[in-house]
Amino acid sequence: MLDAAEAHLGADGTLTLDSAARAAGVSKPGLMYHFATKEALLNAILDRMIFRYEAGLLASVGGVPDSGGMPLRGNTDPVDDGLRADAADFSQVPLGNRHLAYLQWSCQAPLSPADLVIFADPHLRVSLTARWQQQLDSWLPIAGDLPRDRQDRLLAVRLMGDGVWFNRASGMLEVDSSRAAALRLLAEGILEGEA
């Protein structure tokens, strides 16, 4: 059901419980048995995106092989919030390497318009965006106690990754492997060997 809902969101740009049920080939009550509200459904899709992104980030730093969008936490239910406890620990990766991994992932990850339009729902935009910001802050923190120059360098690489992610998710730009390698070299220069 989540695959169908996410695909429909990416193709249509909107999602209702009715349209998600039709896309999944189930009745609306059948869908609502698992996701009682649109908010629950969109949060479940966001959970899957977070798991998929974290797997890609970890693969980008050599932490674990990319799992193709499934959680790396020993449980196959990507909606279960209890999965975070035994996740591979991305927080142990040095900050520079995390930001470089994010840029690399942004250049190469399979993305779709659903990755972007999930944050456009007028009623849930604030709560979904807040959850996403909290997740990004855990992956790519830029602590205020770091020297200002280092904060600025990390932010510049983060913004490079954000820009690539946005452009690729919206379908405006693709980045081939040679361009991704060139961007990484530029980012390494910005970080001046901090990675």
Side-chain angles (χ1 to χ4, degrees), residues 168-185:
R168 290 191 62 237
S170 63
M172 293 191 293
L173 174 73
E174 267 310 318
V175 179
D176 63 29
S177 59
S178 65
R179 179 67 49 90
L183 288 173
R184 181 177 174 106
L185 284 174

Side-chain angles (χ1 to χ4, degrees), residues 146-166:
L146 292 173
R148 181 60 189 250
D149 181 61
R150 183 158 189 237
Q151 290 179 43
D152 292 344
R153 290 171 185 277
L154 290 168
L155 180 59
V157 174
R158 156 97 187 260
L159 292 173
M160 288 172 70
D162 286 348
V164 171
W165 175 85
F166 178 85

Side-chain angles (χ1 to χ4, degrees), residues 27-195:
S27 66
K28 183 176 177 181
L31 177 76
M32 291 181 71
Y33 175 79
H34 299 284
F35 308 102
T37 64
K38 180 179 176 180
E39 182 174 13
L41 178 59
L42 286 176
N43 273 299
I45 292 170
L46 184 57
D47 285 342
R48 287 169 44 108
M49 288 172 56
I50 288 169
F51 290 134
R52 186 171 57 240
Y53 287 16
E54 188 170 82
L57 289 170
L58 287 165
S60 293
V61 293
V64 293
D66 192 332
S67 68
M70 292 308 295
L72 302 173
R73 295 158 177 78
N75 184 326
T76 59
D77 182 0
V79 181
D80 180 358
D81 289 337
L83 297 176
R84 303 251 2 126
D86 54 346
D89 196 356
F90 192 62
S91 69
Q92 297 305 307
V93 177
L95 279 178
N97 286 10
R98 286 195 238 175
H99 285 74
L100 289 172
Y102 177 63
L103 174 60
Q104 179 179 329
W105 171 85
S106 295
C107 289
Q108 300 170 342
L111 299 174
S112 83
D115 295 295
L116 185 60
V117 299
I118 192 169
F119 302 109
D121 184 277
H123 301 292
L124 300 173
R125 181 187 59 78
V126 172
S127 65
L128 291 172
T129 302
R131 274 195 65 215
W132 180 240
Q133 183 62 49
Q134 181 180 17
Q135 188 62 52
L136 278 176
D137 289 345
S138 75
W139 288 333
L140 305 169
I142 301 175
D145 60 346
L146 292 173
R148 181 60 189 250
D149 181 61
R150 183 158 189 237
Q151 290 179 43
D152 292 344
R153 290 171 185 277
L154 290 168
L155 180 59
V157 174
R158 156 97 187 260
L159 292 173
M160 288 172 70
D162 286 348
V164 171
W165 175 85
F166 178 85
N167 278 279
R168 290 191 62 237
S170 63
M172 293 191 293
L173 174 73
E174 267 310 318
V175 179
D176 63 29
S177 59
S178 65
R179 179 67 49 90
L183 288 173
R184 181 177 174 106
L185 284 174
L186 285 171
E188 287 173 352
I190 290 170
L191 293 175
E192 294 182 339
E194 290 184 22

